[in-house]
């Protein structure tokens, strides 16, 4: 209490439905030994590209993010706030929870698998209402709830964090909401992970 | 015997800094061991990502965590690590501790808080006791904090104004947001006495520090002007200037070693490289914030202290308390106001600074017998845009996205202001709220982490709800909409006390009335651990005041 912003601290790890341990067990996917490094090098080998995401995965994520956060008459889309670049910034940060990183990397494959099972199509080729349908379906699964929730968090971070982190270009997010940033703003020598 | 220092202080926050300040000014040699880094004023920015969305000011939970015990549906206590749940119980891990991050809402305790037992009698299941000192013993030190740390405010007459040795605050109140006029008006109509909330914030340049810039990002953020009365800006910086005080950051103390007589001889700590170092001193002072203080004592086994330092009567860690109560809010919607009023409401940065203490003692038949009540503080919802936007991701049917999410965010940010209130009442000490060492979970250095049992007394909720009702009536009178409140037994991690309470009887307390351990001649504890009951206000003013009191005691023995 006392103006502490504890809600967001709790939100660092999406705890609203499940805690970490029950998620890992329920998902039955991670053994705890799957490290991001392992996943990254796997991706590296598989796609012979720079991790974390391959070109096609980036495309799927772009569609996914723009569906979660679409352009409207007065507001930018996820693409316009560089949400995917922002996600890369998150994925290379050693301080970010490894399980969350693994989920961000695996989730795109699982989302595609669900779309193929349900509609025989890639997420990218679904109509808006089918995109909603598939997201409501995966929301029922533990991993799906967490995956959507985490992506929303990072999209909103990209929208409203200081532009120094690569999102919120030209303060477009702040302008949309009439938000005034606090002074002093972060600089290259004071920003997150500068030390 | 030769000592490295006269005084070794573990921790560097609100409980620690008055000791460093007073003793170094008195010419004693002082070393402060702080586990966190040393940020300087120029490092502090208004960067929500760094402050509040990543673990920068607090340890990463993969390295250091707590185990929290809560009751499940079968009434069993189940412990889960904060790494597993994401429920972070760290506050400020840096030179100056959490006082760097506080909002500086400052209230003194009142005379009846020092004698809760004799004033209001026992309550079944609660370990209520009177304090071994009175308000009069602490009053001069509350005044000292006003002057040295810098507390701004304005005294107005109200039924529960505590006695003061000076007429008014040394610093005039900080500038106020126009919404206070609406709060005052509503309170007048309801027959309540709204009072300006004292703040540990300088309203003008003074004490070698700058005035508040009304940055709009105060709580959870470090202060870039030093107006906030953090332990670092107000006390440690002047202590260093004496040339007698040395601060060692990245010094995680894991053991206080004691000799055959039971006295503490050395503090052992890990430095930044993980190497073990030690410091000897004549007197040791511990102020790691209540639960970590108890943990350090429990880890410090010695030949005279087989159950942990100062724990021969099994009292260390017991009677842990938090600030009980909760919070609520109401929306002040622009659609109900004219253009000039809207322009006023939109002003950012100025403080709301209004409190109600009309029910500090509840004397109301509808409630029951005369009881201790509490404090209501009003404030705007935190300005942090990312967390505010994220709070909108939950819609009526689960997560929401797309247009629905965008509409919620837009309306939340642009259609009004969110006026909040916070309730502070006593968290009664019980046998179900205490600190122990977890038998399994370790920190990154291999030491057992603190295991916190977090039980509360039903009476706390009854009082909290009574106060929340009163606060809601003010919002109602103001014409706020969507009014709600939430009173629960969920403890606020940043407002913690007890665990090493002081008292006259060694069988039921850890410290004597000087805050010295009953059976450790040279060990003092000066964070909020000493408090047997917490009062119905946030603790920091009392922590500072008591630490100044103990500084005088230590100074007179050295
Ligand atoms: C966001 C926020 C807002 C707040 N707002 C208010 C407010 O408005 N009003 C109010 O009265 N209070 C407020 N508080 C609470 C206030 O900050 C605390 O009451 C006060 O700082 C407690 O003082 P302390 O000395 O016990 O702990 P701290 O100030 O936290 O200092 C403890 C220090 O000990 C260090 N430490 C712990 N263990 C070890 C170890 N083993 N070895 C070495 N060092 C160690 C920690 O890293 C820390 O720096 C707020 C707190 C927060 C986090
Ligand atoms: S400048 Fe004022 S509002 Fe900003 S952090 Fe410092 S005390 Fe708080």
């Amino acid at each position: 209490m006392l103006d502490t912003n504890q809600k967001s601290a709790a939100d660092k790890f999406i705890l609203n439905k499940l805690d970490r341990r029950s998620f890992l067990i329920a998902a039955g996917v991670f053994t705890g030994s799957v490290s991001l490094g392992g996943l990254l090098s796997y991706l590296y080998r598989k796609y012979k590209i720079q991790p974390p995401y391959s070109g096609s995965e980036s495309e799927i994520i772009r569609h996914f993010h723009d569906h979660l956060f679409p352009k409207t008459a007065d507001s930018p889309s996820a693409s316009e706030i560089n949400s995917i670049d922002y996600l890369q910034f998150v994925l290379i940060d050693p301080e970010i929870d490894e399980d969350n990183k693994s989920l961000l990397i695996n989730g795109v494959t699982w989302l595609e698998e669900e779309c193929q099972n349900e509609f025989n199509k890639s997420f990218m080729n679904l109509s808006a209402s089918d995109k909603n349908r598939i997201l409501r379906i995966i929301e029922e699964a533990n991993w799906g709830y967490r995956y959507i929730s985490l992506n929303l968090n990072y999209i909103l971070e990209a929208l409203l964090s200081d532009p120094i982190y690569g999102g919120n270009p030209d303060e477009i997010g702040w302008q949309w909401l009439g938000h005034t940033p606090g002074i002093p703003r972060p600089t290259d020598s004071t920003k997150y992970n500068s030390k | 015997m030769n000592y490295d220092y006269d005084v070794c202080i573990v921790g560097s926050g609100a409980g620690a800094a008055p000791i460093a300040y007073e003793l170094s000014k008195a010419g004693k040699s002082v070393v402060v061991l702080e586990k966190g880094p040393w940020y300087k004023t120029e490092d502090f920015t208004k960067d929500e990502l760094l402050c509040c969305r990543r673990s920068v000011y607090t340890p990463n939970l993969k390295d250091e965590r707590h185990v929290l015990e809560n009751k499940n549906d079968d009434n069993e206590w189940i412990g889960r690590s904060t790494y597993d749940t994401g429920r972070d119980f760290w506050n400020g891990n840096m030179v100056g501790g959490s006082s760097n991050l506080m909002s500086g809402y400052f209230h003194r305790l009142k005379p009846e808080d020092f004698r809760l037992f004799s004033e209001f009698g026992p309550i079944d299941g609660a370990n209520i006791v009177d304090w071994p000192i009175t308000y009069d013993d602490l009053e001069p030190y509350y005044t000292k904090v006003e002057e040295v740390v810098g507390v701004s405010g304005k005294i107005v007459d109200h039924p529960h104004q505590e006695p003061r040795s000076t007429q008014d605050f040394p610093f005039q109140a900080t500038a106020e947001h126009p919404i206070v006029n609406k709060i005052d008006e509503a309170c007048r109509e309801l027959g309540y006495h709204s009072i300006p909330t004292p703040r540990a914030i300088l309203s003008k340049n003074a004490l070698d520090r700058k005035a508040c810039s009304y940055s709009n990002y105060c709580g959870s953020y470090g202060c870039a002007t030093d107006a906030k009365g953090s332990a670092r800006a107000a006390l440690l910086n002047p202590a260093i200037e004496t040339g007698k005080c040395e601060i060692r950051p990245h010094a995680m103390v894991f053991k206080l070693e004691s000799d055959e007589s039971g006295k503490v001889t050395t503090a052992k700590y890990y430095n930044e490289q993980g190497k073990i170092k030690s410091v000897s001193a004549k007197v040791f002072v511990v102020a790691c914030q209540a639960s970590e203080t108890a943990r350090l004592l429990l880890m410090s086994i010695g030949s005279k202290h087989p159950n942990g330092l100062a724990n021969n009567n099994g009292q260390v860690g017991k009677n842990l308390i938090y600030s009980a109560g909760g919070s609520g809010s109401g929306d002040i919607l622009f659609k109900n106001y004219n253009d000039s009023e809207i322009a006023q409401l939109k002003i950012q940065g100025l403080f709301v600074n209004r409190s109600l203490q009309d029910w500090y003692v509840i004397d109301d038949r509808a409630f029951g017998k005369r009881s201790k009540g509490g404090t209501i503080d009003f404030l705007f919802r935190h300005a942090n845009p990312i967390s505010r936007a994220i709070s909108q991701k939950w819609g009526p049917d689960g997560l929401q996205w797309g247009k629905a999410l965008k509409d919620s965010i837009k309306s939340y940010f642009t259609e009004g202001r969110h006026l909040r209130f916070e309730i502070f009442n006593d968290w009664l000490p019980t046998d179900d709220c205490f600190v122990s060492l977890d038998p399994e979970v370790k920190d990154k250095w291999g030491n057992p982490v603190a295991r916190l049992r977090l039980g509360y007394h039903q009476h706390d909720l009854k009082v909290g709800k009574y106060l929340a009702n009163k606060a809601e009536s003010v919002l109602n009178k103001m014409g706020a909409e969507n009014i709600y409140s939430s009173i629960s037994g969920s403890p606020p991690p940043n407002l913690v006390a007890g665990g090493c309470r002081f008292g006259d009887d060694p069988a039921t307390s850890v410290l004597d009335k000087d805050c010295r351990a009953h059976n450790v001649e040279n060990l003092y504890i000066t964070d909020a651990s000493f408090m047997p009951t917490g009062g119905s206000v946030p603790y920091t003013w009392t922590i500072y005041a008591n630490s100044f009191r103990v500084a005088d005691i230590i100074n007179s023995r050295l």
Side-chain angles (χ1 to χ4, degrees):
Chain A
M1 286 198 303
L2 283 170
D3 210 10
T4 59
N5 198 40
Q6 271 165 14
K7 202 166 199 167
S8 93
D11 209 67
K12 281 180 201 161
F13 187 83
I14 314 289
L15 50 83
N16 301 291
K17 273 206 163 165
L18 275 178
D19 74 17
R20 176 192 315 265
R21 184 166 288 159
S22 34
F23 165 68
L24 294 177
I25 293 162
V29 180
F30 305 139
T31 60
S33 61
V34 180
S35 70
L36 177 72
L39 278 164
L40 285 182
S41 51
Y42 166 74
L43 285 170
Y44 220 139
R45 269 183 276 117
K46 184 168 171 200
Y47 296 108
K48 297 191 175 55
I49 44 96
Q50 288 295 323
Y53 294 119
S54 70
S56 63
E57 283 171 330
S58 290
E59 261 315 283
I60 297 164
I61 296 171
R62 189 170 66 77
H63 278 80
F64 173 48
H65 277 194
D66 281 342
H67 185 75
L68 293 178
F69 205 77
K71 188 171 177 57
T72 62
D74 69 340
S75 71
S77 64
S79 310
E80 284 168 333
I81 54 170
N82 302 333
S83 70
I84 300 180
D85 289 347
Y86 187 84
L87 208 54
Q88 315 261 11
F89 155 76
V90 168
L91 286 165
I92 57 170
D93 178 355
E95 296 299 315
I96 297 279
D97 184 88
E98 290 296 323
D99 297 331
N100 280 348
K101 283 184 190 167
S102 302
L103 179 60
L104 286 170
I105 293 201
N106 283 319
V108 59
T109 315
W110 299 343
L111 174 64
E112 270 303 271
E113 279 169 15
E114 292 285 343
C115 294
Q116 292 295 346
N117 287 346
E118 194 69 22
F119 299 107
N120 241 331
K121 282 183 185 166
S122 162
F123 183 84
M124 295 188 284
N125 301 326
L126 297 182
S127 66
S129 69
D130 285 346
K131 283 179 178 155
N132 278 337
R133 253 183 71 195
I134 200 73
L135 294 182
R136 286 293 168 213
I137 290 171
I138 69 164
E139 189 192 5
E140 290 304 310
N142 302 320
W143 76 266
Y145 178 89
R146 283 168 42 89
Y147 184 61
I148 300 170
S149 196
L150 257 189
N151 276 284
L152 285 172
N153 282 5
Y154 290 125
I155 290 170
L156 295 174
E157 281 191 2
L159 177 76
L160 292 166
S161 55
D162 195 283
I164 201 165
Y165 298 111
N168 192 11
D170 301 324
E171 304 180 10
I172 188 173
W174 290 343
Q175 278 167 27
W176 173 43
L177 297 170
H179 176 78
T180 317
I183 307 285
R185 300 244 314 255
T187 62
D188 280 338
S189 62
T190 56
K191 70 180 181 187
Y192 173 62
N193 269 351
S194 60
K195 299 221 157 97
Chain B
M1 184 169 168
N2 280 338
Y3 301 96
D4 299 334
Y5 296 89
D6 291 322
V7 184
C8 170
I9 307 173
V10 186
S12 66
I19 308 283
Y21 177 90
E22 290 289 55
L23 294 180
S24 61
K25 284 204 161 220
K28 309 292 188 277
S29 60
V30 176
V31 64
V32 177
L33 303 175
E34 163 57 51
K35 78 196 271 276
W38 194 348
Y39 295 114
K40 307 286 163 53
T41 305
E42 51 280 16
D43 294 322
F44 290 124
T45 64
K46 304 303 169 187
D47 178 356
E48 183 181 1
L49 193 79
L50 180 149
C51 135
C52 307
R53 309 253 350 127
R54 303 288 185 270
S55 300
V56 175
Y57 296 155
T58 52
N60 194 317
L61 293 176
K62 78 176 187 295
D63 298 327
E64 297 175 66
R65 57 193 81 166
H66 295 95
V67 172
L68 308 183
E69 278 188 25
N70 287 289
K71 257 192 187 158
N72 69 8
D73 294 343
D74 297 326
N75 250 353
E76 299 157 326
W77 291 103
I78 303 294
R80 291 198 300 173
S81 111
T82 51
Y83 177 67
D84 287 335
T85 62
R87 189 169 175 210
D88 197 333
F89 253 55
W90 292 114
N91 296 303
N93 179 73
M94 62 182 96
V95 170
S98 4
S99 71
N100 286 296
L101 311 178
M102 68 174 177
S103 310
Y105 290 80
F106 262 34
H107 297 278
R108 298 179 178 205
L109 294 183
K110 300 187 189 293
E112 48 272 56
D113 286 316
F114 293 71
R115 42 169 208 265
L116 210 57
F117 186 82
S118 25
E119 186 83 21
F120 301 100
I123 293 180
D124 253 5
N127 306 327
I128 306 170
V129 290
D130 288 349
W131 288 29
I133 61 171
T134 66
Y135 176 80
D136 290 345
D137 295 321
L138 212 52
E139 199 288 332
Y141 296 100
Y142 278 125
T143 304
K144 187 170 208 169
V145 175
E146 287 183 5
E147 287 154 4
V148 176
V149 174
V151 185
S152 55
K154 181 174 163 40
I155 293 297
V156 299
D157 218 21
H158 71 98
H160 292 284
Q161 172 62 49
E162 64 280 352
R164 298 175 49 91
S165 55
T166 58
Q167 240 179 0
D168 213 330
F169 289 92
F171 301 98
Q172 74 173 54
T174 46
E176 290 171 346
H177 191 277
I179 200 162
V180 298
N181 300 324
K182 294 188 194 303
I183 299 177
D184 289 343
E185 193 183 314
C187 288
R188 243 191 329 270
E189 285 175 28
L190 289 162
Y192 305 163
H193 303 80
S194 55
I195 54 174
T197 315
R199 303 292 294 269
I201 293 177
L202 294 178
S203 48
K204 59 171 193 194
N205 294 350
L207 305 170
D208 261 344
R209 288 152 48 201
K210 290 209 198 90
C212 176
S213 65
Y214 302 98
S215 66
N216 203 28
Y217 295 79
C218 197
S220 299
Y221 287 85
C223 180
T225 65
D226 281 346
K228 193 190 285 189
S230 71
R232 181 188 56 84
L235 301 169
L236 295 178
N237 286 349
I240 293 159
E241 274 174 24
T242 64
K244 298 294 288 179
C245 175
E246 181 189 336
I247 297 187
R248 295 190 192 169
H250 301 289
M252 161 65 184
V253 180
F254 63 94
K255 185 165 188 190
L256 295 174
E257 286 189 326
S258 49
D259 62 18
E260 325 70 63
S261 75
K263 271 176 66 165
V264 181
T265 53
T266 37
K268 300 201 98 172
Y269 66 92
Y270 304 102
N271 71 6
E272 196 173 2
Q273 290 71 40
K275 293 222 166 69
I276 294 178
K277 301 275 171 187
S278 57
V279 165
S280 67
K282 286 185 200 154
V283 167
F284 288 81
V285 177
V286 179
C288 298
Q289 207 171 42
S291 46
E292 292 303 301
T293 289
R295 174 189 177 211
L296 176 59
L297 299 194
L298 292 172
M299 290 200 305
S300 299
I301 287 170
S303 59
K304 277 268 174 183
H305 305 283
N307 305 316
L309 195 60
N311 193 31
N312 289 1
N313 290 318
Q315 289 294 305
V316 170
K318 298 287 156 46
N319 297 302
L320 188 71
I321 51 180
Y322 290 87
S323 186
S327 62
S329 82
D331 297 344
I332 308 288
L333 297 177
F334 296 149
K335 66 174 193 212
N336 299 327
Y337 296 93
N338 66 33
D339 285 351
S340 80
E341 285 174 316
I342 294 172
Q344 294 263 301
L345 282 170
K346 282 188 171 171
I347 292 173
Q348 303 281 330
L350 299 184
F351 295 118
V352 175
N353 279 2
R354 278 299 179 275
S355 304
L356 285 171
Q357 295 194 315
D358 290 51
W359 310 277
Y360 206 78
V361 173
I362 303 174
D363 212 347
D364 177 350
R365 266 217 214 119
F367 180 84
K369 83 175 181 67
R370 183 172 170 271
S371 273
K372 187 52 205 312
T375 301
I376 300 165
D377 281 349
F378 290 96
L379 64 166
F380 278 130
R381 165 122 204 228
H382 207 297
N384 276 351
I386 298 171
S387 70
R388 288 162 74 203
I390 286 177
S391 71
Q392 301 303 304
K393 76 180 175 185
W394 293 284
D397 313 308
L399 291 171
Q400 62 175 358
W401 54 78
K403 188 168 176 315
L405 172 67
K406 291 194 123 175
D407 288 349
S408 287
I409 293 176
K410 176 89 182 184
S411 127
Y412 192 72
F413 275 73
T414 59
E415 290 179 4
R417 299 291 312 253
H418 307 277
L419 188 61
R420 276 166 49 80
F421 59 82
E422 294 192 345
I423 305 289
F424 302 91
N425 58 276
D426 284 73
W427 177 287
L428 294 176
T430 70
D431 290 344
D432 282 337
C433 194
F434 60 85
V435 188
S436 60
L437 294 181
D438 193 89
E440 284 164 24
V441 182
K442 307 269 190 274
D443 65 14
K444 69 172 175 187
W445 298 277
N447 295 307
V449 307
R451 184 179 178 96
L452 310 178
R453 180 169 290 188
L454 298 174
Y456 59 91
H457 200 292
Q458 285 299 328
H459 181 82
D460 306 347
L461 302 191
K462 185 178 169 198
V463 177
K465 284 180 185 152
Y466 182 88
L467 294 169
N469 248 326
K470 302 290 184 190
E472 284 194 19
S473 69
V474 176
L475 294 183
N476 232 323
K477 193 51 124 197
M478 291 174 70
E481 296 182 23
N482 307 320
I483 298 172
Y484 85 96
S485 58
S486 146
I487 298 298
S488 79
S490 171
N494 60 334
L495 302 177
V496 56
C500 290
R501 66 182 185 177
F502 73 165
D504 294 325
D505 181 359
T508 56
S509 58
V510 177
L511 309 174
D512 67 15
K513 72 178 174 37
D514 293 345
C515 288
R516 179 166 71 164
H518 283 300
N519 66 343
V520 192
E521 195 273 318
N522 64 342
L523 174 69
Y524 294 81
I525 293 178
T526 57
D527 55 19
S529 306
F530 78 99
M531 297 172 78
T533 55
S536 304
V537 294
Y539 301 130
T540 313
W541 196 349
T542 301
I543 299 173
Y544 273 142
N546 182 62
S547 182
F548 273 113
R549 182 183 73 93
V550 177
D552 279 355
I553 294 166
I554 298 176
N555 195 21
S556 67
R557 69 171 270 174
L558 282 174

